[in-house]
Amino acid sequence: MTRREDATILGVQQLPNDWKQKPEPPQFGQNPVVSWFSEFEEKIASDFQRRTGLEYKKAIAQIIEAAEPFPGMQVLDVPTGTGVIARQFVGKVGEKGRIIGIDETPEKLEQARLAAQSARVSMRIELKAMPVEKLAFEEGSIDLVTSVMAFHRLSAGTFLTEACRVLRPGGRLLIADELAPEISTGTLRDTMRRSYFRFIKRDQEEADAQFHTTQEMMRMLQEAGFTQIIFRTLRQRSRNERSFALIKAVK
């Protein structure tokens, strides 16, 4: 199995996949919201590891480290989904910091609310319903925009333009997602994937997902107005399979 060694601008780092930690089982008499949270997060972690080959908690920690949080930071997580990324910034941005998670789906926002409640951080995170293609924030008002395991489901050009608009000069965009291989894998695998999500998982957004290559991402980010673009590959099983990468860009 080959390891990708040329997919980044400033170097590739392959990580060991032998660090595992099982979550503690819910204790007798535990709050039902906490029990739900534990089981829900365990499923997300399992799906993430199956899909990317990465250990969930370690990957999340690397994403937050790459974000370089600081006291007073204004963070926007798009789309926030279950709020797992937004929650990681609690305690890292200080009392004057602001953490906002947005999503278009009421069901996802309810999951994020319950998870924040379980983690006892619901007072530190703002959850808002809004379209990700039209961010209702003033120009130059945000320090960091994050998008984790979701970029392939977004309207790429529109989202990048909006992210650049709301960021302050010197603000950063951090994307963590799968990238398409530079070597084409043909249409059969893509057709099978779309059919699986459309007919079995009943997830139309994932069925219609668009994965971009490193070169495509570079071009779109530059066109949106970003500079100092860095790619860091965390995992790729072979050169003709999708990689999981961190992408940082500065406005």
Side-chain angles (χ1 to χ4, degrees):
M1 184 176 294
T2 358
R3 290 190 175 185
R4 180 167 183 162
E5 298 178 350
D6 58 356
T8 70
I9 294 177
L10 298 185
V12 172
Q13 178 175 348
Q14 295 287 355
L15 300 173
N17 194 32
D18 55 358
W19 186 87
K20 297 182 179 179
Q21 179 178 348
K22 293 184 178 179
E24 292 292 332
Q27 300 298 314
F28 179 77
Q30 190 176 22
N31 185 306
V33 173
V34 176
S35 299
W36 166 86
F37 176 62
S38 177
E39 294 174 4
F40 188 67
E41 288 288 281
E42 185 176 354
K43 181 180 183 303
I44 291 176
S46 176
D47 289 345
F48 177 85
Q49 184 161 348
R50 174 187 54 78
R51 181 163 176 164
T52 67
L54 292 167
E55 202 283 326
Y56 182 67
K57 290 183 179 179
K58 192 168 186 178
I60 294 297
Q62 289 177 305
I63 291 167
I64 301 306
E65 180 184 10
E68 302 178 78
F70 58 82
M73 189 180 227
Q74 310 291 298
V75 181
L76 179 61
D77 186 37
V78 187
T80 199
T82 60
V84 62
I85 295 300
R87 293 194 302 274
Q88 308 310 307
F89 287 98
V90 174
K92 298 181 184 298
V93 300
E95 292 297 323
K96 294 184 179 180
R98 187 183 183 193
I99 308 165
I100 311 160
I102 70 166
D103 207 293
E104 296 182 359
T105 312
E107 292 79 11
K108 289 291 186 184
L109 289 173
E110 179 63 12
Q111 290 172 350
R113 185 190 67 78
L114 288 172
Q117 178 185 339
S118 171
R120 299 181 180 178
V121 295
S122 57
M123 299 299 292
R124 295 300 315 278
I125 300 173
E126 301 174 39
L127 298 172
K128 298 177 179 290
M130 72 177 66
V132 299
E133 292 85 3
K134 191 171 178 60
L135 303 176
F137 299 95
E138 293 183 4
E139 182 175 344
S141 61
I142 302 294
D143 295 304
L144 173 72
V145 175
T146 60
S147 183
V148 177
M149 281 299 288
F151 186 78
H152 61 277
R153 301 169 70 121
L154 304 179
S155 175
T158 304
F159 168 70
L160 292 176
T161 300
E162 276 292 275
C164 192
R165 180 186 66 79
V166 301
L167 282 169
R168 294 191 174 104
R172 299 188 298 274
L173 169 68
L174 179 62
I175 296 171
D177 204 354
E178 294 174 284
L179 295 180
E182 302 293 340
I183 302 173
S184 175
T185 57
T187 58
L188 179 59
R189 180 178 295 183
D190 293 337
T191 300
M192 292 176 63
R193 180 188 182 280
R194 285 194 295 270
S195 296
Y196 170 75
F197 281 104
R198 180 172 293 118
F199 301 116
I200 298 177
K201 298 291 286 185
R202 303 289 183 180
D203 187 340
Q204 189 61 44
E205 284 190 347
E206 195 68 30
D208 294 336
Q210 178 67 49
F211 296 95
H212 305 279
T213 66
T214 302
Q215 294 302 316
E216 289 170 342
M217 286 295 301
M218 174 69 76
R219 175 183 54 78
M220 290 189 295
L221 285 162
Q222 289 174 334
E223 289 176 351
F226 288 98
T227 62
Q228 301 180 37
I229 303 164
I230 301 173
F231 292 77
R232 179 185 175 194
T233 299
L234 299 187
R235 173 79 174 179
Q236 185 173 35
R237 294 183 175 93
S238 69
R239 290 178 63 85
N240 59 358
E241 293 189 40
R242 290 195 302 271
S243 62
F244 187 81
L246 299 183
I247 306 159
K248 290 180 66 173
V250 178
K251 177 176 177 178

